[in-house]
Amino acid sequence: MDIYASKLSPTLDIGTGVFLLVIAVFSIVGNLLVLIMAFKRSTRMKPPELLSVNLAVTDLGAAVFMYPLAVASAWSHRWLGGDATCLYYGLAGFFFGMASIMNLTIIAIVRFIVSLSMHSPDEKISRRNVKLLCAWTWLYALLWALCPILGWGRYGPEPFGLSCSLAWGQMKNEGFSFVISIFFFNLVMPSTIIVFCYVGIVLKLFYVYKKTVNTNQIPNVVKIHRRLLTIAFLISVGFIGCWAPYGIVSLWSIFKDSASIPPEVSLLPCMFAKTSTMYNPFIYYAFSTTFKGELKKLGWLCGGSNACHASNDIKDDGIYMVTNKKAKVARPNDVNSTFQVSTETMGQLQHIPI
């Protein structure tokens, strides 16, 4: 039996290729725009913003180094290249996936730490430390991705024959400890940390808001952090949500017979997981006035319409920010404090990652 032959119908193969091509185009264009915006702002970019750039690089890397081969294989009705490209594709997918989830975890932790001293940002993360964190995400992902090559775990073709990943069905006996380890250290633990951090941020924002005297008007600082929380939350939930169905099907292959899953059913979570590389730029565009404003300056994207118009209700210099230490803070015992940020202070906002 040819393990690299497509188990799908020719029509479904073509449709899968078209779907992957669309995902690849949106992922490459969107994340390139994020990197272009970051390059344009490089002189004003604060060190922690490198984390958002790092996340865009992981998504772009997956789209560039993986999707073209998958599209060509789908349209050829079989996996191209045999064992060599299957090993490459499985390693690349695992590598970029681990780098993304670790990057999201670090962003959540940094965002939580900053929220604890929301109005006293004297403690800043140095560029050196952020670079070390970015390097750590890549090293961590590489170590896990090399495990199957070194004998702990195994890469192999997907049940539908047009993709390669971890050979879940073959690791029931030989690599079961590897499966348990990756699910705990690379899904359960990161997801728990992310949820804990964002719940903590919500509670902190609620506490700060309740401490204000003028409760009829939400303070600008709270609005800013609420927007940042929304961006961070959607990015994290989107990534975990895209990969969760694939994880469930993979666990089913471990504890049950993978042959009981029709190829068409096993295809869906795999394709859904691949969409995780394309939606972050859309989130930035929807919730960041600065990102939208920078795109507006690229006239060829807007076509002269008002589609790129950005709201100016909250001024910001980037996707990620925190108030300057000159911002006025409402103290519980200060009845004259209204916890409003002056125009001068709002113009001096500093950047942090979400």
Side-chain angles (χ1 to χ4, degrees):
M1 180 180 178
D2 188 357
I3 60 174
Y4 293 118
S6 174
K7 309 304 188 297
L8 308 173
S9 67
T11 301
L12 191 54
D13 284 343
I14 295 175
T16 300
V18 172
F19 178 81
L20 288 173
L21 180 61
V22 172
I23 296 300
V25 171
F26 276 107
S27 298
I28 293 173
V29 173
N31 287 289
L32 273 179
L33 286 174
V34 172
L35 296 179
I36 290 173
M37 298 301 105
F39 178 78
K40 290 177 63 177
R41 296 184 53 257
S42 59
T43 57
R44 295 178 288 132
M45 182 177 294
K46 303 302 178 181
E49 284 190 279
L50 293 175
L51 290 171
S52 62
V53 175
N54 199 45
L55 183 60
V57 171
T58 62
D59 291 340
L60 181 63
V64 171
F65 293 105
M66 296 177 60
Y67 296 169
L69 177 59
V71 171
S73 296
W75 288 347
S76 299
H77 309 298
R78 62 175 292 106
W79 181 255
L80 300 177
D83 293 339
T85 56
C86 186
L87 178 63
Y88 158 79
Y89 193 88
L91 187 149
F94 193 33
F95 173 66
F96 287 117
M98 293 303 98
S100 294
I101 189 65
M102 283 301 107
N103 203 84
L104 290 171
T105 305
I106 292 175
I107 287 177
I109 294 173
V110 171
R111 189 77 188 90
F112 176 72
I113 293 174
V114 171
S115 72
L116 295 179
S117 56
M118 187 183 303
H119 311 300
S120 301
D122 295 325
E123 299 179 3
K124 298 180 181 180
I125 301 178
S126 68
R127 184 174 293 272
R128 176 179 178 275
N129 288 338
V130 173
K131 287 182 178 180
L132 288 176
L133 288 174
C134 291
W136 181 83
T137 61
W138 292 107
L139 178 60
Y140 180 90
L142 180 61
L143 291 176
W144 278 100
L146 290 177
C147 285
I149 296 179
L150 299 177
W152 194 31
R154 179 180 299 181
Y155 292 117
E158 297 277 11
F160 52 88
L162 290 178
S163 181
C164 289
S165 180
L166 291 171
W168 303 104
Q170 300 178 32
M171 293 190 292
K172 286 183 178 181
N173 301 317
E174 299 178 7
F176 188 74
S177 61
F178 177 70
V179 173
I180 297 301
S181 297
I182 61 175
F183 268 92
F184 178 76
F185 289 105
N186 299 305
L187 181 60
V188 176
M189 188 175 69
S191 300
T192 302
I193 293 174
I194 289 172
V195 171
F196 172 84
C197 290
Y198 291 143
V199 169
I201 295 172
V202 170
L203 294 177
K204 175 65 176 181
L205 290 178
F206 180 77
Y207 174 79
V208 171
Y209 176 73
K210 294 296 288 185
K211 288 294 182 181
T212 62
V213 176
N214 183 12
T215 57
N216 293 325
Q217 181 179 5
I218 301 177
N220 283 327
V221 173
V222 175
K223 289 182 180 180
I224 291 170
H225 282 270
R226 188 175 61 185
R227 174 179 291 178
L228 297 179
L229 175 64
T230 301
I231 295 175
F233 179 79
L234 289 177
I235 290 175
S236 299
V237 169
F239 182 87
I240 295 173
C242 285
W243 281 96
Y246 181 80
I248 293 173
V249 172
S250 299
L251 283 177
W252 180 274
S253 300
I254 292 291
F255 294 104
K256 300 291 183 178
D257 186 6
S258 59
S260 63
I261 305 176
E264 295 81 6
V265 175
S266 64
L267 170 69
L268 294 178
C270 184
M271 295 297 103
F272 190 54
K274 294 184 187 301
T275 63
S276 64
T277 61
M278 77 169 189
Y279 60 79
N280 287 352
F282 290 100
I283 295 175
Y284 296 148
Y285 184 83
F287 293 95
S288 171
T289 58
T290 297
F291 186 74
K292 189 181 296 186
E294 291 288 346
L295 287 181
K296 184 179 180 181
K297 296 178 182 178
L298 301 178
W300 57 274
L301 285 175
C302 298
S305 66
N306 293 325
C308 296
H309 177 71
S311 172
N312 293 319
D313 58 336
I314 303 177
K315 302 292 185 181
D316 59 310
D317 293 325
I319 298 175
Y320 316 117
M321 70 219 100
V322 71
T323 54
N324 184 276
K325 62 183 179 180
K326 294 182 180 180
K328 294 182 179 179
V329 182
R331 298 182 177 86
N333 297 326
D334 186 0
V335 296
N336 295 321
S337 175
T338 60
F339 195 74
Q340 294 182 358
V341 181
S342 66
T343 304
E344 176 184 0
T345 302
M346 293 301 294
Q348 296 173 335
L349 292 174
Q350 304 212 18
H351 303 73
I352 63 169
I354 58 175

